[in-house]
Amino acid sequence: MNHIYELHKGVRHMVLFTCNKRYCEQAIRRLESQGIPYLLQPAGQQNQNIYFGRRECLEAIRLIVTRPLNQLTPEEDFILGAMLGYDICAQCERYCKRKIKN
């Protein structure tokens, strides 16, 4: 997985991988075999979100992402995107659009 490579190289500190539940066990085995910490979150009926990466990032995710992603506040969504390494300017635009709607 490219995400694991980027994690090992320090390009990312945390990754959000969404997969069909039938592939979740395979992804978890891969993470566990490499000693990579992870956190699971349901993503609808067929999918699973797998957050993985640095332990301190996952601890923050446990506190921030306490419900489905589409129910996050604009602030929580912004923090999550920043933690995942998304383009910060795009995150700012997304935040402003979501904040204005609320």
Side-chain angles (χ1 to χ4, degrees):
M1 288 172 48
N2 190 54
H3 296 307
I4 291 176
Y5 174 81
E6 290 178 351
L7 187 69
H8 286 309
K9 291 294 183 183
V11 174
R12 298 176 183 259
H13 299 293
M14 188 178 70
V15 173
L16 168 56
F17 177 65
T18 303
C19 66
N20 187 289
K21 287 181 180 179
R22 66 179 171 220
Y23 302 116
C24 190
E25 190 175 312
Q26 178 183 357
I28 290 170
R29 275 198 311 269
R30 179 95 182 246
L31 294 171
E32 288 178 346
S33 74
Q34 296 193 33
I36 299 172
Y38 63 91
L39 175 67
L40 300 175
Q41 179 191 47
Q45 299 220 353
Q46 300 295 323
N47 294 323
Q48 184 81 32
N49 284 335
I50 306 173
Y51 297 88
F52 62 92
R54 302 273 304 263
R55 231 174 260 293
E56 57 268 34
C57 294
L58 295 176
E59 288 304 317
I61 289 300
R62 283 184 219 284
L63 298 172
I64 296 168
V65 184
T66 58
R67 57 195 171 285
L69 296 180
N70 65 343
Q71 294 177 13
L72 295 180
T73 66
E75 291 80 9
E76 291 166 333
D77 181 78
F78 180 85
I79 293 167
L80 176 61
M83 290 177 69
L84 290 168
Y86 297 167
D87 177 89
I88 200 69
C89 293
Q91 282 303 111
C92 290
E93 287 178 16
R94 179 180 168 90
Y95 170 76
C96 291
K97 286 177 186 173
R98 291 191 71 207
K99 193 67 176 179
I100 291 169
K101 282 185 181 179
N102 289 342

